[in-house]
Amino acid sequence: MKTQINGTDILELGFPEGKIIGIALKINSKRNGFTRDEMIANFKNVLETPENYIDDKIFSKLAIALIEKANEKPEDFIALNQNPNAYSAYGLEGIEDGARKQMEVAMKLPVTVAGALMPDAHQGYGLPIGGVLATKNAIIPYGVGVDIGCRMALSVYDIAEDFYFENEAKFKKELIANSIFGAGHGFHGQHKADHAVLENDAFNMTPFVKNLKDKAWSQLGSSGGGNHFVEFGIMEFTKDDAVLNIPKGKYVALLTHSGSRGMGATIAGHYTKIAKDVCKLPDVAKNLAYLDMNSQLGQEYWMAMNLAGDYASACHEIIHNKMEHALGATILAKVENHHNFAWKEIWNGEEVIVHRKGATPAGKGVMGIIPGSMTAPGFLVRGKGEENAINSASHGAGRQMSRTQAIKNITKTEMKSILQDHGVTLIGAGLDEAPMAYKDINQVMKAQQDLVDVVAKFTPKLVRMADDGSRED
């Protein structure tokens, strides 16, 4: 029987956080004939006297790593800036301390030029979700995030509101038939989609990226797990919009939210590990390890990130094309925006790399969609180009409960009741995605009136999410 030891067990023995835990777990996974207690005893001995295990055939790598760690000096690490610039914040009173502290650390990076915190911000890994960070010639994999290029896509149809309510069963049928959810899920055989993104030369940039192509193909056009969705709703324009050429009125619309699936997550994990190896930061900032844009590794990640973003966009395009064909509708307008990405932009007269982790581009005139929850409205917006916000806005309402808290504190009855109150039909989703787990989108929008103008309001009516409550893979 396999020896059951996890990372928490190793930490409790006194091992330092980081790659050493991974080395110990790898040794444990090979079992080597030891019982659990015997393995724990060996780990204790290696921790206490690593010099006695330098030549040990099982524990040498762990011993050497411990000795190297013990001999690290402050000067071995890249120093943080102890007098950082202040960052801009919007709706700060509604942002948790954890997110604020993460932003404060991010501002201390020697490559940081400017920062901003959006009103939907909450704690994440490295840069907080809702954090915007401009850096000089450096890219931070965890400043981009795990679900690279995650985005919103909207199609507004030439279908009046009444038609939806008269034909709700048809919309439900097409939603189920033309979308697929769940971490790891995808298409096989003749059901696989095709798209020009699969011919992108960037897939051949390295053997690592090339090996992701088969998985990317099978998941092309799928939506994954977590908070990703495909939903029909009513889009209301309270006045004519000349730019989109849409008259005042209420229209049926399709709104989708998903990212780069398993491919993006694998790229994020791979390059974050590399960044941590080449960019030695103090423990408090280790998840903000960055790559120099002038280095081969920096250019590799930049190309892989952009490929993942193009792939995420292709997934949305396939879903929207399928739905347009199934409904036989004409699309009046399409809008798409993404977050969990980095852009080269000019800020204060110099080129910077702007990381928007869970934040929407909101340059002057730039269109975007900011969703609420499955029962709260979303908003079609146009950016105002606020420089203090680094031309950004929130990417949604933001969580006020963690997934674990939501599952513990919200009942199925409560969730069913709020759905009924708002006339929303839900297909799938776990309690971790209940509307009550999210902040009030109206308060979030109020906090960013200086950042965006509202063009139209989207009210969800038919929502589909992963039915297993899974997180993104």
Side-chain angles (χ1 to χ4, degrees), residues 14 20 93 164-165 214 220 303 320 344 355 359 363 377 381 403:
I20 288 176
E93 65 281 354
Y164 171 80
F165 292 107
D214 283 345
L220 186 61
M303 289 175 65
H320 283 250
K344 289 181 181 178
H355 303 73
V381 299
R403 294 181 184 279

Side-chain angles (χ1 to χ4, degrees), residues 1-211:
M1 183 177 172
K2 189 173 182 179
T3 307
Q4 295 299 316
I5 297 175
N6 58 35
T8 302
D9 297 324
I10 306 294
L11 282 171
E12 287 176 353
L13 291 175
F15 280 78
E17 288 188 29
K19 67 179 183 179
I20 288 176
I21 301 295
I23 294 170
L25 290 174
K26 192 170 183 180
I27 292 170
N28 179 65
S29 69
K30 295 176 181 176
R31 291 179 289 187
N32 296 300
F34 293 115
T35 65
R36 183 186 192 282
D37 290 343
E38 287 170 341
M39 186 61 85
I40 289 287
N42 276 301
F43 282 148
K44 280 183 180 177
N45 291 335
V46 177
L47 181 63
E48 289 170 6
T49 56
E51 63 275 11
N52 293 341
Y53 290 84
I54 291 174
D55 297 318
D56 189 279
K57 64 180 183 180
I58 296 173
F59 297 102
S60 62
K61 189 173 181 181
L62 181 62
I64 291 168
L66 284 166
I67 291 169
E68 289 176 346
K69 181 75 174 174
N71 285 283
E72 284 180 345
K73 305 176 188 69
E75 57 265 31
D76 293 332
F77 294 95
I78 296 168
L80 298 180
N81 178 9
Q82 296 307 313
N83 295 294
N85 293 330
Y87 62 88
S88 301
Y90 299 84
L92 192 61
E93 65 281 354
I95 299 174
E96 63 188 10
D97 287 343
R100 298 187 199 188
K101 288 175 182 175
Q102 284 186 318
M103 199 68 210
E104 288 166 7
V105 172
M107 294 303 296
K108 292 180 179 180
L109 295 178
V111 294
T112 293
V113 175
L117 205 53
M118 300 299 106
D120 62 336
H122 53 283
Q123 190 169 340
Y125 289 96
L127 195 64
I129 297 159
V132 182
L133 196 72
T135 58
K136 185 66 175 174
N137 208 41
I139 183 81
I140 307 167
Y142 259 180
V144 168
V146 174
D147 191 12
I148 299 171
C150 186
R151 64 195 58 220
M152 307 297 305
L154 172 76
S155 289
V156 182
Y157 300 116
D158 65 337
I159 301 175
E161 176 186 23
D162 290 347
F163 184 85
Y164 171 80
F165 292 107
E166 292 164 2
N167 297 273
E168 191 169 357
K170 175 177 173 56
F171 283 94
K172 186 174 184 179
K173 172 177 172 276
E174 300 302 351
L175 183 58
I176 293 170
N178 293 290
S179 61
I180 186 171
F181 284 81
H185 294 189
F187 300 95
H188 305 282
Q190 65 181 20
H191 300 292
K192 283 184 177 180
D194 195 15
H195 192 280
V197 73
L198 296 173
E199 305 306 316
N200 192 318
D201 285 342
F203 270 113
N204 299 314
M205 60 184 273
T206 65
F208 164 73
V209 174
K210 191 170 186 177
N211 286 335

Side-chain angles (χ1 to χ4, degrees), residues 7 12 17 27 35 121 123 167-168 189 198 204 213 237 259 262 280 345 347 360 375 391 397 420 448 452 462 465:
E12 287 176 353
E17 288 188 29
I27 292 170
T35 65
Q123 190 169 340
N167 297 273
E168 191 169 357
L198 296 173
N204 299 314
K213 188 171 181 178
F237 289 81
K280 298 291 187 182
E345 297 180 5
W347 192 85
T360 298
T375 58
N391 295 311
Q420 287 178 340
Q448 56 185 351
V452 292
L462 180 59
M465 304 181 77

Side-chain angles (χ1 to χ4, degrees), residues 154-159 244-246 251-254 316-317 319-325 327-335:
L154 172 76
S155 289
V156 182
Y157 300 116
D158 65 337
I159 301 175
L244 294 177
N245 194 28
I246 294 182
Y251 305 85
V252 176
L254 176 73
H316 284 270
E317 185 181 338
I319 296 167
H320 283 250
N321 286 348
K322 281 182 178 179
M323 216 67 78
E324 179 187 3
H325 178 75
L327 296 174
T330 297
I331 292 178
L332 300 177
K334 272 190 173 183
V335 177

